[in-house]
Amino acid sequence: MATPAGLLLASPPVISGVAAMAACAAMAVFYVAVLYAPTVILRFPPPTSLRTFLHRRFACAAVASAASVLATASLLRVWSLSDFADMFAVFGIRKDHLIQAVAIPLLLTSLVYAGSFVARVWLLVSSWGGGDEVEIGCAQRLAQWIQAAVADVMVWRNYVVAPFTEELVFRACMIPLLLCGGFKMSTIIFLSPIFFSLAHLNHFFELHQQGCNFMRALLIVGNLLCPIIAHVFCNMMGLPVFSSPRTKGAALVAFLAGSIAFFWLLFPATSPELYNSSFDRCSCWHGFCNWK
């Protein structure tokens, strides 16, 4: 059976399903555990500000991501590939099909937020008074928002560090491992979020300790380019708006229509053929299924 160009190994990767599961679980645990290393292991003094606290966590997330990439590369013998482009391709990092990778997932995900868009546009339009002064005011507010966002450490956390490091570990590293472990794509679709959820249990316990009841803490916690773009977008939008009294039912109609369109387009918009022209009778996109 033919293999996608450039993805030939000297010998097939050998990893059992148990080893793949264990590696994924270890990555999930390590991603969270390393966040507490500065104070628990290195005995650094407690951070004096939110900025210092998050800077430490940024460094820890980078360490966890690098460790996961190295572990995955070793387990899958990525070093045996011919060049760096092929090595990066194993992790889903490719320069081809960039437009599809950005546009299609973003448009598909935005359908779920149709109600949110309607509610926000409705609020924006209702606040307009008209005239040049409004346009100048909007431009000034936009410039001020951008300036504040660049300096806001929470913006970097929610829209840069978290999406990139989490998707690198929980998508780019874990999916190849599970594929080589013999798991089917349908199984991986359900396994991957489970590992991702494990890495967010610390937020649940922290919220619960701060006084949130069980259900409220659970609802708050519940939240490579394709998943990174969608991840950033979801972090920006928050939970979808189901309805809004201001919009007189328009937000609810938009949410329902968007949700129906999302599920209708889900499988066609996530077909591997849209993102990989080397799709040659290979169900895993990377050629792992052809190495067996």
Side-chain angles (χ1 to χ4, degrees):
M1 184 180 293
T3 304
L7 291 178
L8 291 173
L9 288 178
S11 59
V14 179
I15 182 171
S16 66
V18 174
M21 289 282 289
C24 292
M27 289 178 188
V29 172
F30 183 68
Y31 187 89
V32 175
V34 75
L35 298 178
Y36 300 92
T39 53
V40 176
I41 298 177
L42 300 179
R43 300 295 182 182
F44 286 173
T48 56
S49 66
L50 176 64
R51 182 173 293 274
T52 303
F53 172 74
L54 288 180
H55 282 172
R56 288 185 183 181
R57 291 214 158 183
F58 293 169
C60 292
V63 169
S65 301
S68 297
V69 169
L70 290 173
T72 302
S74 299
L75 289 169
L76 299 183
R77 304 176 189 174
V78 171
W79 321 117
S80 302
L81 291 169
S82 57
D83 57 43
F84 286 110
D86 295 336
M87 293 182 185
F88 285 122
V90 170
F91 296 95
I93 303 173
R94 310 193 319 269
K95 61 183 180 180
D96 59 286
H97 297 79
L98 287 178
I99 295 177
Q100 295 95 316
V102 173
I104 297 176
L106 185 58
L107 291 173
L108 181 65
T109 307
S110 66
L111 291 173
V112 180
Y113 291 94
S116 302
F117 286 129
V118 169
R120 294 187 183 192
V121 171
W122 196 289
L123 179 62
L124 181 63
V125 171
S126 64
S127 65
W128 282 355
D132 295 336
E133 294 182 0
V134 173
E135 294 182 5
I136 296 174
C138 289
Q140 289 178 342
R141 285 197 295 270
L142 178 61
Q144 292 171 354
W145 179 86
I146 293 174
Q147 185 177 8
V150 171
D152 190 346
V153 70
M154 289 300 294
V155 169
W156 286 92
R157 172 192 179 274
N158 293 334
Y159 309 145
V160 180
V161 178
F164 276 85
T165 59
E166 289 176 358
E167 298 300 339
L168 183 61
V169 172
F170 296 94
R171 202 88 59 178
C173 291
M174 291 189 182
I175 288 180
L177 285 170
L178 294 171
L179 286 168
C180 282
F183 293 93
K184 296 180 179 179
M185 287 294 293
S186 56
T187 304
I188 295 173
I189 289 173
F190 292 99
L191 281 178
S192 181
I194 291 175
F195 290 120
F196 187 71
S197 299
L198 289 175
H200 288 72
L201 284 178
N202 64 313
H203 298 310
F204 169 77
F205 290 119
E206 288 173 0
L207 288 168
H208 197 47
Q209 289 174 351
Q210 293 170 10
C212 283
N213 61 48
F214 181 86
M215 287 305 300
R216 178 170 173 77
L218 190 62
L219 288 172
I220 292 174
V221 170
N223 298 3
L224 63 240
L225 194 54
C226 295
I228 287 174
I229 293 296
H231 195 143
V232 173
F233 180 76
C234 290
N235 280 358
M236 292 179 66
M237 296 299 294
L239 289 174
V241 171
F242 305 116
S243 64
S244 174
R246 299 191 205 94
T247 63
K248 303 176 181 178
L252 177 59
V253 172
F255 170 75
L256 293 175
S259 298
I260 293 171
F262 173 84
F263 287 108
W264 182 49
L265 295 171
L266 178 60
F267 290 103
T270 55
S271 175
E273 288 93 338
L274 293 174
Y275 307 96
N276 191 344
S277 58
S278 298
F279 186 80
D280 183 12
R281 299 174 65 191
C282 168
S283 62
C284 70
W285 306 13
H286 299 311
F288 293 144
C289 58
N290 292 322
W291 287 341
K292 298 187 175 198

